[in-house]
Amino acid sequence: MRRHLLLILTLLVLIPSIAILIVTGWGVVEHERAMKNVTESYVLDLAQSVASRVDRPRFIHRALMMPPRSLDSLVLDMSMPGWVALVDEDGNLLAASSKAQDVLPQIWQVGVPVGRATLLKGPLGDTYTIAAIPTSQGWYVIAAVAWSQLLGPMVRFSHLWPAAVGLLAIVGMCAVWAFWRWLIMPLLSLEAEVSSLKWGIDLPKPDDPLAVWELRRLRKVLYQLAETAKEREELTQRYVSDLVQVQEEERTKLAREIHDGPLQDVTALLQRILLLKQESWSEKAKKYIEIAEESATAAVRELRGLCDTLSPPWLDLGLLQALTELTERLARIYGIKVYLEASEIPDVNEDITLAFFRIVQEAINNAVKHGGAKNVWVRLACEKGYLVLQIEDDGSGFDFEGDIESLRIKGHRGIANMAERMRMVNGQIDIKSSSNRGTIILCKVLLPLSGEKSPGNAFDV
């Protein structure tokens, strides 16, 4: 419920306004109906009362003895609201009350239904109710009343009350609209933006002119915090990049020192042993000399392998040749199968070559040492403008939830180093792994490609 609290609060404010409008509309309709019934009943009673008087024998006798225009004095001139008139079958006026003299010509219509009340509009917009009742002489008694005359304040109230209540409801709905437009919508936008914000990478919008002042201030503070986090992340990345660069330089320096120092000394020692082996010695002495030769040869091999690991000389041959040499060596060292599948790729710079080389090296080492993998598949290809590297193994895998930083904190720096190397070349890395299901590492770097590349061969190392 708390998740939808803003929507609930908005509805709680909006529903009363809508209810007021509905009740007001219903009240206006019922009020109009009640006034209509009152006026119709009044007019019919008035017309029937006068018609019963006209049907009296005395009135008929006097009417027959007098000219039609002299019948005015015979029609009841009442002090009650409304007016009455007497017309013949052709609609000619025979007599009328004094109040009807000015009104009748304006609203009188020959087609008024007989026996029931009808609503008419006067020339000034007033509403009238009129009724025609027949008499025994074939004449018709016409009765009419103006709503403003009969109902008075009720008519005025019927116009003012719905206008006031409707205005109040409209103000309430406008308030709800303003509440939703300048508070709820900016708040929902801020919530959606913050929930998708990659802290230390993305920046939210610095301002929202449509939001209320408090939300604009909150967004400004959030922007400042995100900007600080991004600067800190950039500083960390520069630090890590410098650290990796220094690490590579130290590896190259160490490989050079090993090659120029211990490796040369052991090689010279091996040459002396070979020269010593040519002299005449006893069988026992020859056996010791052969052991020394084997040890020196093994030391030379290990020192050269160490130099190649620290600073691979085949990196200068290009990415594909470097990966081919690396997978062959690691397959021999660990006694596993490494399958390299590569299509023709364009030339890439030294940074990308080094990053992909170290990632493959780290991935195979982790797959064998930690996952016990027996087979590793390395795929290198160009796809949709990207240079794609995929490494898959059949090892035991591990439970990975996608948080590389947590692995760094726990001391598992292998994957963290892969991510840092991809970040240095503006690439992307995606790792999928679970227990007993192996690991898949996917790396992508955007490259300017021109034309399609023909597929290469697959190598079974």
Side-chain angles (χ1 to χ4, degrees):
M1 181 177 179
R2 291 182 178 179
R3 183 177 181 180
H4 304 288
L5 184 58
L6 286 177
L7 179 60
I8 293 174
L9 292 176
T10 304
L11 291 176
L12 289 178
V13 177
L14 181 61
I15 288 175
S17 299
I18 297 177
I20 290 174
L21 283 178
I22 294 175
V23 172
T24 302
W26 177 79
V28 170
V29 171
E30 291 298 321
H31 188 67
E32 291 283 340
R33 184 181 302 171
M35 290 192 299
K36 179 182 177 182
N37 292 335
V38 169
T39 56
E40 288 180 352
S41 176
Y42 176 82
V43 167
L44 287 173
D45 290 343
L46 179 61
Q48 289 174 356
S49 175
V50 174
S52 63
R53 181 179 179 183
V54 170
D55 284 336
R56 293 176 183 175
R58 180 183 175 185
F59 182 88
I60 296 174
H61 176 73
R62 294 180 62 184
L64 293 175
M65 298 298 296
M66 298 175 63
R69 288 296 176 183
S70 302
L71 295 178
D72 293 0
S73 60
L74 301 179
V75 179
L76 180 62
D77 192 2
M78 302 170 297
S79 61
M80 297 175 62
W83 54 264
V84 292
L86 185 65
V87 298
D88 59 17
E89 294 179 351
D90 297 328
N92 298 316
L93 181 63
L94 301 178
S97 62
S98 60
K99 298 179 180 179
Q101 299 298 327
D102 298 330
V103 178
L104 181 61
Q106 299 177 7
I107 68 170
W108 166 243
Q109 296 179 5
V110 177
V112 174
V114 177
R116 61 187 179 88
T118 304
L119 294 182
L120 294 177
K121 285 292 184 179
L124 299 179
D126 296 335
T127 302
Y128 292 86
T129 300
I130 187 170
I133 301 297
T135 65
S136 60
Q137 301 300 319
W139 299 334
Y140 296 91
V141 175
I142 308 300
V145 67
W147 284 29
S148 59
Q149 183 183 12
L150 178 64
L151 302 175
M154 292 182 63
V155 177
R156 293 190 295 271
F157 180 74
S158 66
H159 293 89
L160 295 177
W161 174 66
V165 177
L167 180 61
L168 179 62
I170 292 174
V171 170
M173 295 182 68
C174 290
V176 172
W177 178 85
F179 176 74
W180 183 267
R181 182 68 180 86
W182 293 316
L183 180 62
I184 302 300
M185 289 299 295
L187 189 59
L188 292 176
S189 175
L190 180 61
E191 186 273 335
E193 195 172 350
V194 171
S195 62
S196 62
L197 184 69
K198 296 179 180 178
W199 201 252
I201 300 177
D202 300 331
L203 289 176
K205 293 191 300 183
D207 193 14
D208 186 358
L210 297 179
V212 295
W213 184 86
E214 290 78 6
L215 284 181
R216 296 181 66 180
R217 179 63 181 171
L218 178 61
R219 180 178 283 276
K220 183 177 181 180
V221 173
L222 178 64
Y223 179 81
Q224 292 174 350
L225 292 175
E227 193 175 31
T228 302
K230 185 177 181 180
E231 293 175 355
R232 187 182 296 110
E233 182 66 20
E234 291 175 352
L235 181 62
T236 302
Q237 291 180 15
R238 288 197 296 268
Y239 170 75
V240 173
S241 299
D242 294 342
L243 189 63
V244 172
Q245 184 177 358
V246 170
Q247 186 182 31
E248 290 296 335
E249 293 175 355
E250 288 298 323
R251 285 181 175 182
T252 303
K253 181 179 179 181
L254 182 59
R256 187 182 303 112
E257 291 178 353
I258 293 175
H259 181 273
D260 296 340
L263 180 58
Q264 297 298 328
D265 294 339
V266 176
T267 301
L269 176 61
L270 179 61
Q271 295 296 328
R272 292 188 183 94
I273 292 175
L274 292 176
L275 293 174
L276 184 62
K277 188 178 180 181
Q278 297 176 2
E279 301 292 334
S280 299
W281 299 94
S282 62
E283 293 297 327
K284 186 175 182 180
K286 287 182 178 181
K287 183 177 180 180
Y288 285 119
I289 292 174
E290 290 177 355
I291 293 174
E293 180 186 4
E294 294 176 357
S295 299
T297 302
V300 170
R301 186 183 303 112
E302 291 181 1
L303 288 174
R304 284 178 177 172
L306 182 59
C307 290
D308 293 340
T309 301
L310 292 174
S311 181
W314 51 84
L315 285 175
D316 297 334
L317 301 178
L319 177 59
L320 182 57
Q321 290 75 11
L323 292 183
T324 301
E325 183 68 26
L326 175 64
T327 52
E328 289 177 350
R329 285 176 176 268
L330 293 179
R332 289 195 303 268
I333 292 174
Y334 293 124
I336 62 174
K337 290 288 185 179
V338 181
Y339 303 91
L340 175 62
E341 181 180 352
S343 61
E344 185 179 350
I345 61 173
D347 294 334
V348 296
N349 57 44
E350 296 179 356
D351 294 335
I352 296 178
T353 300
L354 180 60
F356 276 22
F357 182 89
R358 292 302 186 192
I359 288 175
V360 173
Q361 185 180 38
E362 185 71 33
I364 295 177
N365 288 336
N366 290 344
V368 175
K369 294 180 180 179
H370 303 295
K374 299 299 182 183
N375 297 278
V376 179
W377 294 267
V378 179
R379 177 175 172 268
L380 183 66
C382 291
E383 296 180 356
K384 299 180 180 179
Y386 285 89
L387 180 62
V388 180
L389 173 66
Q390 179 176 309
I391 310 163
E392 183 177 359
D393 64 69
D394 60 353
S396 59
F398 62 99
D399 292 328
F400 179 63
E401 298 179 354
D403 189 358
I404 296 178
E405 190 63 28
S406 64
L407 295 178
R408 187 201 308 273
I409 296 175
K410 294 178 181 178
H412 306 292
R413 295 197 53 83
I415 294 180
N417 288 338
M418 296 181 194
E420 293 296 344
R421 290 187 179 276
M422 289 306 301
R423 186 179 298 173
M424 290 174 60
V425 295
N426 296 322
Q428 306 171 13
I429 185 170
D430 184 26
I431 301 173
K432 298 180 180 178
S433 182
S434 58
S435 297
N436 302 320
R437 304 189 72 174
T439 302
I440 299 177
I441 300 174
L442 183 65
C443 302
K444 297 172 63 177
V445 175
L446 183 62
L447 288 178
L449 299 181
S450 58
E452 295 185 0
K453 303 297 181 179
S454 59
N457 299 323
F459 300 94
D460 185 352
V461 182

